[in-house]
Amino acid sequence: MATYVYRFTEGDKDQKDLLGGKGANLAEMTRLGLPVPPGFTITTEACRAYLRDGDVPADLRVEVTLALRELEDTAGRSLGDFHDPLLVSVRSGAKFSMPGMMDTVLNIGLNDASVQGLTELAGDARFAWDSYRRLIQMFGKTVLDVDGELFSDALDAKKEARGAAADVDLTEDDLRELVDEYKQIVKDNAGREFPQHPREQLDLAVEAVFRSWNTERARLYRRRERIPDDLGTAVNVVTMVFGNLGDSSGTGVCFTRDPSTGESGMYGDYLVNAQGEDVVAGIRNTLHLTDLEELDPRSYADLRAAMRRLETHYRDLCDIEFTIEQGKLWLLQTRVGKRTAGAAFRVATQLVDENLITMDEALGRVTGAQLSQLMFPQFDPAATKEHLTTGLSASPGAAVGEIVLDTAQAEARAAAGADVILVRRETNPDDLGGMIVAKGVLTARGGKTSHAAVVARGMGTCAVVGAEEIAVDVEAETVTIGERVLRPGDVVAIDGTTGEVYLGDVPVADSPVMAYISGGLDAGLAAAGDDADTRELVEAVHRLLSHADARRRMAVRTNADNAADAQRARERGAQGIGLCRTEHMFLGDRRTLVERLILAEGEAERDAALAGLLEPQRSDFESLLEAMDGLPATIRLIDPPLHEFLPDLTELAVEVALADERGESGEEVERRRTLLAAVRRMHESNPMLGLRGVRLGLKIPGLFALQIRAVAEAAAHRSAAGGSPQPEIMVPLVGSRRELQIVRDEAERIVAEVAAEQGVTLDIPIGCMVELPRAAMTAERIAEEADFFSFGTNDLTQTAWGFSRDDVEGAFFADYLANGVLTISPFETLDADGVGALVRIGAERGRSTSPGLKIGVCGEHGGDPESIHFFESVGLDYVSCSPFRVPVARLEAGRAAVKGEDATR
């Protein structure tokens, strides 16, 4: 029989699967002897059973009763007692942190009678009625599905009627009236009275937390963060401690280091005389944590000691929620804190320097996605900007976009292709959809630990919060800053690093990290100037990227079709070219040369057309090999169908028809008619699976021979010039050994001819792309003719799934992502179970024939972090990606190698 309830004294931090992250860490802090209110955790197993069966497991009610009675015995009070009530909170806690996405209810156990008992216990009637109105508000919204705005509006109306600036200015009588109003709101909108029985409150709250796992906002967050839907959430039932017991009480959130910058020291927000979610909700602007030292030196000292203890124990930046009840510190939660990309790199190297973690562990604390964020441009400091206001820098970055005031506007404008900035008074979990599509988030209220700040940091979205000069009126659709009134559609720019807000577009420049990536450490430090934080960040990136290079097994190449891209990639650490798409060399003015080849009548015209293509191809290859001198350069022979170099069939047919109708004649008209006939002749219903790749080379005599000769002559010229060219010829879309054999025989003959003609030695490997399922399944035979394999995972994904990428992404991918068929596009991250199985089979079978066979990947997946880890597990020799993603691939290849050595990390 499953055990559904664990006391905080029974678990530890390694039981997140069962107890959720919050429950596991509450148990760990209890085990460490830190001041944690007594409580118990209802497991994720119970949640999964509830979601599966639609009802609470029968044994759960019994286990909750036993645990609750132990809690009552420990406290010496009973839940909801009329004279000396025990109150509890009910809080969600999944394995992976989902800030603000699920539900919490505080003050369970209060009712019309026990509020009197709480008054006696605390000696403060105002506090008791404030706690009661909070329970009804949270319970009504969370458990009974009453619109939360109804409670907020009633509270605002009461404050306005009484001339109260904040909640704390309301009197006991005001709060008594609010309780009556709130209960009426519940009755009118939930169709029932607010429950007075404490155990009914508890049971209904537990079920509500279970249900919150499947709310739309929770599902949306999980899809974005790729958290499985079947984990379920734990529920934590915790003895209430009160931060709203007057000026000697309060609530706060702190981090052991700054999660925005990584700077070491006291960092966090605190609210005097406040409870629970007030800090995170952002409804009141907070005090800085250092203010607590003056308000309550003893609690401040206790908190600092606890922060140091937790950071040392977890060996990482910790996020801590705490409450001070009349001078007594209580810890309500801790977890390894979410942080910005810059903070991740700085904190990792700081912990190495403090001898808390190793460099290998530090490598596991940063990601390629974070490095990519640091490489994005930032606002140009030299540009002219119109300053609007300044808020708190919550999540770094530079974002420009149209103002939108809610999720519906954000999603509609983003779907129309606009960049948007979500501007809110404060955000709440219902704003998640808008935050996901927005380029940046700007709020008038809230501190650096508010909902907007925490969620934006977790998503890597630029955010500025607490810009108090901003007045947001959603109904009037206005954003007022001083005398200026802005509306949806107006463009603003926000700087998440400085907190500055500007009107209109602002030019951008390379970030200091990008300067380092392109020009080395000195260039990065020069770009950082005198800013000590930025200099530390550049040095941290350098240290970790250098360590990744030292630890990784796989090489990192680039996809480059010209010398400029090749040089750019080489500056960023590329170790060769994994894919040069030669068809890109035939675009622009050279398109007419291909047109001549297609229209050639007879061998003589075809040879003349091929001869015209030889020189530009050779010149391109020479410049490419020069840029990659001394490094391998894999050159793919022409792949797409030739009709892609011809005009559109419909447009051309219309032109010819109009010319005929007007009775036009002449050389150009005849050329168009001839061209139309050729286009019609080459038209295919499904060109992706038609005459392309190796089939094209076998169908049109001399086409591949031209390209092979151009590669060989370019290599010969570079050798004669004192270079060290290392070209590799790659045959696309091979599906059988014989196809490759025919091309290889011709290639070896041509290379030998050129070597003899030029008086040089040429050793040019000949391999193939593996991008068809049959190629992977017969790789042991194809390997007999191949010097190397390169998996073309874009086409392999299309052929394995039966997808035409150009068609399906716009047609139904959004539906597939929404209904859970896909969690991410298989064109972004490799489908490890399906396409990945073909990669693994192809690699294993190819090496069964040729044990030393060099194998790489050249699809877009070569720069995707998760895919890189899969390729490491298969044992590929290199990945190849766009020049921009080369540093990301270097970092992830190092991380994959370290994780491969120690799977427990």
Side-chain angles (χ1 to χ4, degrees):
M1 184 178 71
T3 298
Y4 291 125
V5 174
Y6 284 74
R7 285 70 171 167
F8 289 169
T9 54
E10 295 177 320
D12 60 51
K13 64 181 176 64
D14 297 323
Q15 293 180 284
K16 291 183 175 65
D17 286 323
L18 183 67
L19 304 179
K22 188 175 297 178
N25 288 324
L26 282 168
E28 188 74 8
M29 288 194 294
T30 300
R31 195 172 67 83
L32 292 173
L34 292 169
V36 176
F40 56 88
T41 298
I42 300 171
T43 67
T44 56
E45 285 186 357
C47 177
R48 290 193 293 271
Y50 176 84
L51 296 175
R52 181 186 65 242
D53 302 333
D55 196 11
V56 171
D59 293 338
L60 177 59
R61 297 186 188 280
V62 174
E63 291 187 45
V64 168
T65 298
L66 296 176
L68 183 60
R69 289 194 176 186
E70 287 184 25
L71 205 59
E72 291 173 330
D73 292 344
T74 300
R77 303 198 297 272
S78 298
L79 184 69
D81 185 81
F82 292 176
H83 301 290
D84 192 9
L86 171 70
L87 305 182
V88 297
S89 64
V90 174
R91 297 164 60 117
S92 63
K95 175 181 180 180
F96 299 105
S97 175
M98 297 169 57
M101 295 307 108
M102 292 185 296
D103 291 328
T104 293
V105 183
L106 307 180
N107 305 326
I108 292 287
L110 275 177
N111 54 31
D112 291 347
S114 61
V115 69
Q116 307 296 338
L118 185 61
T119 299
E120 296 174 18
L121 182 66
D124 186 341
R126 188 205 172 279
F127 151 74
W129 287 97
D130 181 46
S131 299
Y132 193 17
R133 70 93 187 166
R134 288 172 184 269
L135 167 63
I136 301 170
Q137 181 172 357
M138 298 180 82
F139 195 95
K141 179 176 183 293
T142 299
V143 182
L144 301 178
D145 296 322
V146 177
D147 184 356
E149 291 297 319
L150 297 174
F151 298 110
S152 299
D153 291 345
L155 178 61
D156 289 341
K158 183 66 67 179
K159 287 192 291 186
E160 185 175 352
R162 298 293 185 266
D167 304 358
V168 294
D169 298 322
L170 294 174
T171 66
E172 174 196 341
D173 289 338
D174 297 333
L175 293 167
R176 283 176 178 267
E177 292 173 9
L178 261 181
V179 164
D180 289 336
E181 292 174 26
Y182 278 11
K183 287 196 289 187
Q184 190 62 46
I185 289 172
V186 168
K187 183 176 181 180
D188 291 345
N189 291 273
R192 62 159 294 168
E193 301 279 356
F194 174 77
Q196 292 292 309
H197 195 289
R199 180 58 191 265
E200 183 184 9
Q201 293 177 7
L202 176 61
D203 290 340
L204 289 175
V206 168
E207 290 189 47
V209 172
F210 285 161
R211 290 195 303 272
S212 72
W213 176 256
N214 279 334
T215 60
E216 182 56 33
R217 67 174 185 258
R219 287 179 175 273
L220 183 62
Y221 186 88
R222 290 200 297 274
R223 281 200 299 270
R224 177 186 168 80
E225 299 296 320
R226 303 187 65 198
I227 297 171
D229 278 331
D230 60 357
L231 297 180
T233 181
V235 181
N236 299 288
V237 178
V238 189
T239 302
M240 280 298 305
V241 290
F242 299 97
N244 56 335
L245 265 171
D247 290 344
S248 64
S249 303
T251 188
V253 176
C254 64
F255 294 83
T256 56
R257 297 170 197 248
D258 188 332
S260 293
T261 67
E263 185 176 353
S264 183
M266 290 291 287
Y267 174 86
D269 295 325
Y270 182 68
L271 272 177
V272 176
N273 197 18
Q275 189 178 37
E277 305 293 302
D278 289 354
V279 175
V280 175
I283 55 178
R284 285 165 56 190
N285 285 339
T286 56
L287 301 174
H288 191 276
L289 197 61
T290 52
D291 295 324
L292 177 60
E293 185 173 15
E294 295 182 13
L295 295 170
D296 188 345
R298 178 179 174 183
S299 296
Y300 178 80
D302 290 344
L303 180 61
R304 289 203 60 166
M307 291 170 68
R308 178 179 172 84
R309 178 87 182 274
L310 287 170
E311 181 173 272
T312 301
H313 184 70
Y314 283 89
R315 300 188 304 135
D316 206 345
L317 181 158
C318 289
D319 170 355
I320 303 163
E321 293 181 21
F322 66 93
T323 286
I324 296 172
E325 182 184 77
Q326 295 183 324
K328 166 67 175 174
L329 173 70
W330 294 97
L331 303 183
L332 306 182
Q333 177 177 342
T334 192
R335 60 191 171 199
V336 171
K338 291 184 180 294
R339 65 209 71 182
T340 64
F345 278 84
R346 289 183 65 190
V347 168
T349 52
Q350 287 168 5
L351 294 174
V352 170
D353 293 340
E354 294 170 23
N355 297 311
L356 282 173
I357 62 174
T358 66
M359 278 298 289
D360 279 358
E361 288 175 305
L363 205 53
R365 304 284 178 89
V366 296
T367 68
Q370 290 168 334
L371 178 59
S372 183
Q373 287 179 37
L374 297 176
M375 292 161 58
F376 288 150
Q378 60 185 24
F379 290 140
D380 186 348
T384 301
K385 301 181 280 288
E386 184 174 349
H387 184 264
L388 288 175
T389 188
T390 302
L392 300 174
S393 53
S395 183
V400 178
E402 299 178 5
I403 290 174
V404 291
L405 299 180
D406 57 34
T407 289
Q409 285 183 10
E411 292 178 337
R413 292 301 299 142
D419 291 341
V420 299
I421 303 294
L422 180 64
V423 183
R424 300 284 286 163
R425 185 168 57 180
E426 70 268 338
T427 65
N428 62 57
D430 294 329
D431 293 316
L432 180 65
M435 296 181 73
I436 286 176
V437 300
K439 297 296 181 182
V441 178
L442 171 62
T443 69
R445 295 180 180 175
K448 290 189 177 184
T449 57
S450 64
H451 176 269
V454 171
V455 175
R457 273 198 300 271
M459 296 193 304
T461 299
C462 174
V464 174
V465 302
E468 298 179 3
E469 292 181 322
I470 295 177
V472 181
D473 189 329
V474 176
E475 291 187 6
E477 292 201 324
T478 60
V479 177
T480 305
I481 307 173
E483 299 298 318
R484 187 182 293 278
V485 179
L486 303 176
R487 299 181 184 279
D490 291 337
V491 175
V492 294
I494 64 172
D495 189 331
T497 303
T498 65
E500 305 291 337
V501 182
Y502 305 103
L503 181 66
D505 200 351
V506 176
V508 296
D510 278 349
S511 70
V513 170
M514 191 70 247
Y516 155 70
I517 294 294
S518 300
L521 183 58
D522 289 342
L525 293 175
D530 295 329
D531 189 312
D533 288 346
T534 306
R535 292 177 70 87
E536 183 185 344
L537 171 60
V538 170
E539 289 174 339
V541 171
H542 170 67
R543 289 173 63 185
L544 287 165
L545 196 51
S546 298
H547 187 68
D549 286 337
R551 297 291 278 120
R552 62 187 167 89
R553 184 192 57 79
M554 288 191 297
V556 175
R557 299 192 192 182
T558 190
N559 301 340
D561 308 325
N562 56 65
D565 282 349
Q567 183 59 41
R568 189 175 299 113
R570 187 164 189 164
E571 290 169 354
R572 297 174 183 181
Q575 297 166 286
I577 292 175
L579 175 63
C580 168
R581 293 155 289 207
T582 55
E583 59 271 11
H584 289 186
M585 298 174 174
F586 295 143
L587 301 177
D589 295 339
R590 297 182 186 176
R591 189 185 294 267
T592 57
L593 298 174
V594 182
E595 190 178 297
R596 283 174 54 198
L597 175 63
I598 295 169
L599 299 178
E601 296 182 0
E603 188 174 334
E605 284 192 22
R606 186 177 65 243
D607 290 345
L610 290 169
L613 287 168
L614 178 60
E615 175 51 37
Q617 277 272 272
R618 182 173 58 225
S619 175
D620 288 336
F621 294 149
E622 273 197 62
S623 60
L624 194 75
L625 293 174
E626 182 177 5
M628 275 293 163
D629 193 60
L631 295 175
T634 302
I635 298 169
R636 183 181 72 185
L637 302 179
I638 191 167
D639 181 40
L642 286 184
H643 76 77
E644 291 192 8
F645 298 97
L646 297 175
D648 178 75
L649 174 61
T650 303
E651 292 178 4
L652 190 58
V654 169
E655 288 179 15
V656 171
L658 289 174
D660 289 344
E661 185 180 330
R662 291 190 290 260
E664 296 175 359
S665 61
E667 183 178 336
E668 179 59 23
V669 173
E670 287 305 313
R671 191 185 74 83
R672 288 280 171 181
R673 287 196 182 98
T674 304
L675 197 55
L676 177 59
V679 171
R680 282 176 170 159
R681 186 174 68 250
M682 294 188 160
H683 179 72
E684 296 177 290
S685 298
N686 191 346
M688 187 190 79
L689 299 178
L691 184 60
R692 52 168 290 215
V694 68
R695 305 159 192 170
L696 195 62
L698 299 184
K699 176 69 175 176
I700 301 180
L703 180 59
F704 276 7
L706 151 79
Q707 293 194 294
I708 294 165
R709 178 169 289 276
V711 171
E713 289 184 359
H717 292 177
R718 285 297 307 142
S719 293
S724 178
Q726 296 184 24
E728 302 174 341
I729 293 173
M730 182 159 68
V731 184
L733 213 71
V734 166
S736 79
R737 170 181 174 275
R738 180 58 181 157
E739 286 175 324
L740 182 58
Q741 185 183 50
I742 294 170
V743 178
R744 183 183 185 94
D745 289 346
E746 183 177 36
E748 289 179 339
R749 176 181 58 78
I750 294 171
V751 170
E753 286 177 3
V754 172
E757 292 167 4
Q758 302 290 329
V760 297
T761 299
L762 293 176
D763 181 12
I764 301 178
I766 299 164
C768 68
M769 289 187 77
V770 178
E771 47 194 332
L772 296 174
R774 189 181 193 279
M777 300 304 291
T778 62
E780 70 278 9
R781 298 178 62 190
I782 295 174
E784 295 173 7
E785 301 294 335
D787 295 321
F788 64 89
F789 281 173
S790 181
F791 285 96
T793 50
N794 298 340
D795 274 354
L796 191 58
T797 298
Q798 294 194 89
T799 53
W801 275 90
F803 286 158
S804 169
R805 180 174 185 175
D806 293 339
D807 296 323
V808 302
E809 287 193 316
F812 61 80
F813 260 33
D815 298 319
Y816 267 37
L817 291 168
N819 62 28
V821 174
L822 298 172
T823 58
I824 194 169
S825 166
F827 296 107
E828 295 178 32
T829 294
L830 190 78
D831 162 28
D833 294 336
V835 180
L838 290 172
V839 172
R840 191 180 297 276
I841 288 169
E844 291 174 352
R845 293 186 179 182
R847 284 176 172 158
S848 70
T849 296
S850 177
L853 186 68
K854 181 170 61 180
I855 305 178
V857 60
C858 60
E860 291 178 34
H861 302 103
D864 172 68
E866 187 172 330
S867 304
I868 289 169
H869 286 248
F870 175 80
F871 298 138
E872 169 69 23
S873 73
V874 174
L876 300 194
D877 296 300
Y878 68 86
V879 296
S880 187
C881 57
S882 69
F884 182 83
R885 299 182 88 179
V886 165
V888 173
R890 290 165 54 197
L891 182 71
E892 288 295 346
R895 296 182 69 239
V898 169
K899 286 189 176 182
E901 289 181 7
D902 183 357
T904 64
R905 287 178 181 162

